[in-house]
Amino acid sequence: MFVLSDTPSLAHQFLLELRDIHIQKDSMRFRRNLERLGEILAYEISKSLNFNSLPIETPIQASTVLQPSEQPVIISVMRAALPFYHGFLNYFDRADSGFIGAFRDESKEGEIAIELGYHASPSIEERTVILADPMLATGKSIVETVNTLLAHGKPKHLHIASVIAAPEGIQYLKENLNCSFSLWLGAIDEKLNHQSYIVPGLGDAGDLAFGPKL
């Protein structure tokens, strides 16, 4: 498990701006900070991938450079993940992409259920998959998403990337995911509250990025 906030860096500035209730009012800035953190985590994930040495011709002489031996599949959990996902796509600019719509069904009191809607993705069989979802709260939406993906193929390895995570969600993934995975996080917060929102968290990432929903 990799956590950006464990090390002093500019990522702390982007996390601060995502959380601050006054800066949050600028939805364009909120989206951009999600994108920036996606870019940073994409860079960190890239260090774990396999590379090949390829020959090139420079204006001076022949040389060699390292290049990724494969391109990942990036899966975005809509809608909150879209700016975060774009950060990954900015860096893995040759990657294939997939999209899954997931939302909480809170119609039953005291129970959080996850409903999945739209699903479109390329084959993930024996591919490296990056699943981008900015908030890892209960972990249920990620488990449901992964189970949907696994019904269509088994990835070589799954990288789960989130901006902010709750300890309960991390534990839920460890207990309920039936595949090899790595976690890449911006920060780990204190806990979930009685509504299963992350504390201190930052609020509803989807609403802050795109406006309130009906």
Side-chain angles (χ1 to χ4, degrees):
M1 182 167 63
F2 175 86
V3 185
L4 267 177
S5 63
D6 285 349
T7 305
S9 73
L10 277 175
H12 285 267
Q13 174 187 325
F14 306 146
L15 286 165
L16 178 152
E17 293 182 4
L18 284 173
R19 295 182 191 269
D20 188 288
I21 60 173
H22 303 292
I23 301 175
Q24 282 182 347
K25 295 175 183 178
D26 184 345
S27 59
M28 184 173 69
R29 191 169 179 180
F30 187 87
R31 292 191 300 270
R32 179 61 182 126
N33 282 323
L34 284 179
E35 185 178 17
R36 283 167 162 169
L37 288 166
E39 291 171 344
I40 294 172
L41 288 174
Y43 172 75
E44 295 295 340
I45 290 174
S46 75
K47 298 176 185 178
S48 71
L49 304 182
N50 294 322
F51 284 74
N52 292 329
S53 182
L54 296 179
I56 62 166
E57 289 288 338
T58 79
I60 307 301
Q61 67 177 36
S63 184
T64 58
V65 294
L66 290 177
Q67 290 289 286
S69 58
E70 63 169 329
Q71 290 295 323
V73 177
I74 307 171
I75 305 293
S76 171
V77 181
M78 300 186 294
R79 67 178 170 150
L82 288 174
F84 189 45
Y85 150 82
H86 273 290
F88 285 92
L89 196 60
N90 288 345
Y91 276 30
F92 293 110
D93 56 1
R94 299 179 184 177
D96 293 330
S97 296
F99 303 89
I100 290 184
F103 63 93
R104 291 186 180 196
D105 181 359
E106 301 179 3
S107 59
K108 297 179 181 179
E109 187 174 351
E111 182 179 344
I112 300 293
I114 302 299
E115 296 291 334
L116 296 182
Y118 182 78
H119 171 216
S121 72
S123 173
I124 62 167
E125 186 69 29
E126 286 302 309
R127 301 283 302 275
T128 297
V129 174
I130 299 172
L131 179 60
D133 193 353
M135 307 299 287
L136 171 51
T138 66
K140 290 183 178 181
S141 63
I142 288 180
V143 169
E144 289 294 327
T145 296
V146 172
N147 287 340
T148 298
L149 293 171
L150 292 178
H152 300 278
K154 183 179 180 181
K156 180 167 61 177
H157 191 73
L158 173 66
H159 299 276
I160 298 171
S162 294
V163 174
I164 296 175
E168 296 93 331
I170 295 171
Q171 187 61 35
Y172 188 83
L173 296 189
K174 292 179 179 178
E175 294 173 355
N176 292 278
L177 282 182
N178 297 314
C179 64
S180 172
F181 72 95
S182 302
L183 275 175
W184 304 81
L185 308 172
I188 301 175
D189 277 9
E190 179 184 345
K191 62 181 180 179
L192 295 178
N193 64 13
H194 68 283
Q195 295 176 303
S196 293
Y197 284 99
I198 301 173
V199 178
L202 52 75
D204 189 305
D207 287 358
L208 290 166
F210 301 110
K213 53 189 175 293
L214 294 175

